[in-house]
Every structure is written in structure tokens, then in C-alpha cells.
Amino acid sequence: MKTQAEKAADFARLHERGCFVIPNPWDRGTARLLAGLGFRALTTTSAGYARSLGVSDYQAGRDHVLAHVRDLVTATDLPLAADLENGFGHAPEVCAETIRLGAEAGLVGGSIEDATGDARVIYDMAEAADRIRAAAEAAKALPYTFMLVARCENYLHGRTDLADTIARLQAYQEAGADVLYAPGVSTAEEIGEICRSVDKPVNVLGGLGAKPLSVCELADLGVRRVSVGSWLHSAAMTAFVNAAQDESFGYVSDLVVGRQMDQWLKEGAG
């Protein structure tokens, strides 16, 4: 297995080489399948992992998420980042502690979002930037490169204000974020404007919009990284529910054969 420093260097280089897809496993098996399929880095899904525990998104808690990280880190030789939600607390020092704990668990990257999880919905910009600044200081103190992602959650909460979203991403960039992410933004015009307005790599959630943009189209707009959030988990669970309700067993003929999955798992384990 590669060292954490080696994985961190690999991960940082990926952000310099153009656009790459970083899929989101929710357990050791899906991590190894994705590695076996040839992906070069992985990041967790808060929703997918929480639902795999039988709870809703944001209900897993920091201790469970860190245990999940420790499990996935040893599943493959790929760099692992994580959805660290809002840092699991409002105070900047809590965000910083979450970054330190994530690094201790084996992460080489992680995201902090500006959604509060309470009635305020989104933190004030200055407060949100302070939280990113504290997280960035913790990340920069590590003995390897930790790719800190700052997330602006406006669009996921119905605040489709591109100007405010860009202003927030610029503030988070100034606060020390290494990657910028506004999940929910979906049009080529908006994504292109974000990429032109910041100097750090931009992450986009793929698959949105009436006609989702392809990886090549996103790359042409200047996007460096494409994640899929909980889409893979939702796709798997949709197939699970449909199959469970199919009394004709028609789904069996379309299954990936077990031998093929075993081969991918073997390749993904390194």
C-alpha cells in the first residue's frame, strides 16, 4: 500500500492534469469495485453512507464517518477524500478539529460546506469564510498536501443566486480552500462563469440538468473535478427496490456476473 504522503501527492497532481471523475463509494466493496474499474481517486458520500447505516443524510455523526474513513482507506491504494458535511459543528475550531481527525484517519482531502443544518440554512459569508480559514490552517499544518474543498450550498437550498455563489467561492478561495464546489449548479453558462471567476480548481456535481453535461463538456468549461455524490448509491438502491418487487425475476438476465465482480474486486484491492 502507498503511504498517506504518496497518496496525497498523487491526489494533488490529479488536480493539475485537467478534468477527472472522482466517484463516491459507500463501503469497502464499492470502493474496490471503483478502483478495479480504473478510477484514480475516491471520495465518500455522506448520504450514501448514512443510508447504508439505515439513517437519513447528516445523521451518521462524526464518529461514524471517521470510522467509515478508516475502513475505506485500507480497502484500496487510491487517494481518499471525504464529504465532511459542515465540519460537524458551527465553530471554526470544530471544523479545524474535523480536518485534523480526518487526516489522522487517513484522508488526503475533504470538504466543508456552508450549510448550517439549522433554521439559518446558510452561514453568513464572513462566518463561513472564517470556518474555511480555520480548516485551511489545520490542513496546511499537515506534513503532506491535503486538498481542502469549500462548498457553497446555495443552489441545493433553493438560493439560485449566481453572484452570491461566486462571491462566496471567492471568499473561500481567499480563506485558503484548495478546491471550490457549488453543488446544484448545472448549466454550462453558470459553470463556465464560476470557472472564470476563481483561480482554484472547480469541482462539479455531475448528472444535473435536463440534459446533463458530459465529462468532456465540463472539462471544456474549465472544470477540474467531477463527483457524483450519492448518485451511485441511489442507482444501486433503485435497482435493489425494483428487483425486490419484480416477481417475474426479469432483472436476473441483466446482472453483471459474479465472476466479473470478483475480478474487479481483486484488481481494486491492488
Side-chain angles (χ1 to χ4, degrees), residues 23-218:
N24 307 67
W26 59 92
D27 59 15
R28 290 179 68 86
T30 50
R32 286 187 171 176
L33 284 172
L34 291 167
L37 288 170
F39 291 98
R40 294 171 291 171
L42 304 172
T43 186
T44 67
T45 161
S46 65
Y49 174 60
R51 290 165 188 158
S52 77
L53 296 179
V55 299
S56 57
D57 195 10
Y58 295 104
Q59 299 305 306
R62 188 167 72 177
D63 289 346
H64 273 110
V65 169
L66 292 173
H68 175 50
V69 166
R70 287 189 288 269
D71 189 36
L72 290 191
V73 162
T74 62
T76 80
D77 213 20
L78 296 180
L80 180 69
D83 180 342
L84 297 173
E85 303 179 18
N86 74 340
F88 302 102
H90 298 308
E93 54 267 29
V94 176
C95 294
E97 180 67 7
T98 293
I99 296 299
R100 287 191 289 269
L101 291 173
E104 289 175 7
L107 292 177
V108 297
S111 62
I112 300 291
E113 63 190 44
D114 60 7
T116 64
D118 60 27
R120 291 177 292 168
V121 185
I122 304 290
Y123 293 104
D124 290 339
M125 193 184 305
E127 182 181 4
D130 285 343
R131 288 160 37 80
I132 294 299
R133 186 172 297 105
E137 290 172 356
K140 299 299 187 289
L142 297 170
Y144 55 84
T145 300
F146 185 101
M147 301 298 289
L148 175 66
V149 181
R151 290 177 45 152
C152 174
E153 303 289 287
N154 274 347
Y155 277 62
L156 292 186
H157 293 274
R159 296 174 50 159
T160 54
D161 184 337
L162 183 62
D164 182 69
T165 295
I166 288 173
R168 285 173 173 273
L169 294 177
Q170 290 172 335
Y172 305 159
Q173 172 179 287
E174 291 302 313
D178 301 296
V179 180
L180 303 168
Y181 183 18
V185 176
S186 62
T187 70
E189 293 76 16
E190 290 173 320
I191 292 169
E193 185 64 25
I194 288 173
C195 291
R196 290 188 295 271
S197 299
V198 298
D199 299 322
K200 297 291 186 179
V202 171
N203 186 103
V204 165
L205 176 62
L208 296 177
K211 185 181 179 183
L213 297 167
S214 69
V215 174
C216 289
E217 289 171 325
L218 291 169

